[in-house]
Amino acid sequence: ANHPSQEPFAMGNTLLATQKIACGHTDRLHIRQNLLCDRLSQPTAEMVDAFIFLQDHKADMRHIGETLTQQSQRRHATKELMLATCFCIFFEYLPIAESGDAARVLETFSGVLSRPDDFLEDLMKLRAQGVPKDKIFRLQPLIHEVDINGTDSRGVLDSLSAFARAALESAQIYSEIRDAAEAGQLDRQQAANLLDSLESDQRRMVSAMDTGQQVVDGPASP
């Protein structure tokens, strides 16, 4: 008796196996991408929390700005200097060559804090995905020094420290995303959607919070 050909069956199994391998590869890419995105949510929330606190304490920011140049005479001045240096690097308030001049750094950041509205807008605009690796490497030991020296609990310096730390963490994650995409470990288009966003993550989160609050509160009375 003639037996039906096994060839179609074998080909079907081969195609199915190939599809499973392809799907498995795609799933791994999506899983890795989702994990990286999940890691971004915490530092973004920390940046927003710090921003909201600072927004409510502009007078304290001005006061610190007025007294910052005197901090070098105090025993625990390291934290102020390290924080000032961090933000001067993040926003390029000073040329790189001058970022090691303590007096210049404190003087510059004193001027920045004396204009809190402008500084808050800088915080809101900061795109962590746009921070290059050389800045990340320069910021890491500074943030570590801030953590060692500590800051005033729940105060302006504490919130500045929290923002800088969270911004650096986000920048590091985005650097990982860029490297993973270049190595083929992440879908390039999906990575580009994250890396090429023109709006900062913290601004998007604040906008989403404002929209959600409007929904809860309902339309304003005429």
Side-chain angles (χ1 to χ4, degrees):
N2 292 331
H3 294 285
S5 172
Q6 299 297 312
E7 187 175 350
F9 179 74
M11 288 179 63
N13 280 344
T14 301
L15 287 171
L16 183 60
T18 303
Q19 288 171 348
K20 285 183 177 180
I21 292 172
C23 288
H25 177 67
T26 302
D27 287 346
R28 284 195 296 275
L29 293 183
H30 288 157
I31 289 171
R32 184 177 178 85
Q33 176 187 323
N34 289 338
L35 288 173
L36 287 169
C37 290
D38 286 345
R39 285 174 55 197
L40 283 168
S41 62
Q42 183 61 34
T44 301
E46 290 171 0
M47 281 191 281
V48 169
D49 285 344
F51 174 86
I52 291 173
F53 181 92
L54 293 169
Q55 195 174 40
D56 291 338
H57 292 79
K58 294 179 185 179
D60 293 335
M61 290 170 66
R62 288 192 191 93
H63 176 70
I64 290 176
E66 291 168 359
T67 61
L68 196 58
T69 52
Q70 303 168 9
Q71 300 301 320
S72 58
Q73 306 302 319
R74 292 175 49 193
R75 179 182 176 187
H76 299 297
T78 302
K79 63 187 178 185
E80 287 91 346
L81 176 58
M82 293 301 103
L83 275 174
T85 306
C86 282
F87 286 106
C88 284
I89 291 173
F90 262 128
F91 299 111
E92 300 180 2
Y93 293 137
L94 277 176
I96 292 176
E98 297 182 35
S99 62
D101 184 336
R104 186 83 176 93
V105 167
L106 290 172
E107 178 187 2
T108 299
F109 197 54
S110 172
V112 169
L113 291 182
S114 70
R115 303 182 303 276
D117 287 324
D118 291 342
F119 180 54
L120 287 168
E121 181 58 21
D122 284 344
L123 297 183
M124 189 52 62
K125 290 191 302 186
L126 178 64
R127 294 176 60 258
Q129 56 267 60
V131 178
K133 278 188 177 181
D134 63 316
K135 275 191 183 180
I136 292 175
F137 292 146
R138 293 176 62 216
L139 286 163
Q140 284 172 333
L142 295 171
I143 297 295
H144 180 67
E145 192 69 26
V146 169
D147 288 340
I148 287 176
N149 284 275
T151 55
D152 55 328
S153 179
R154 296 188 183 181
V156 166
L157 292 177
D158 182 62
S159 293
L160 289 172
S161 174
F163 188 98
R165 187 186 308 109
L168 176 61
E169 184 179 348
S170 291
Q172 290 171 319
I173 295 170
Y174 275 118
S175 183
E176 287 182 43
I177 290 173
R178 185 174 287 104
D179 290 344
E182 291 174 356
Q185 298 170 345
L186 276 182
D187 179 79
R188 286 178 180 271
Q189 184 56 53
Q190 295 295 329
N193 290 341
L194 293 169
L195 295 169
D196 297 340
S197 173
L198 299 178
E199 193 174 39
S200 72
D201 293 340
Q202 60 272 25
R203 190 183 292 280
R204 283 203 302 271
M205 182 173 283
V206 168
S207 297
M209 291 166 61
D210 289 343
T211 301
Q213 189 60 47
Q214 289 172 9
V215 172
V216 171
D217 294 342
S221 300

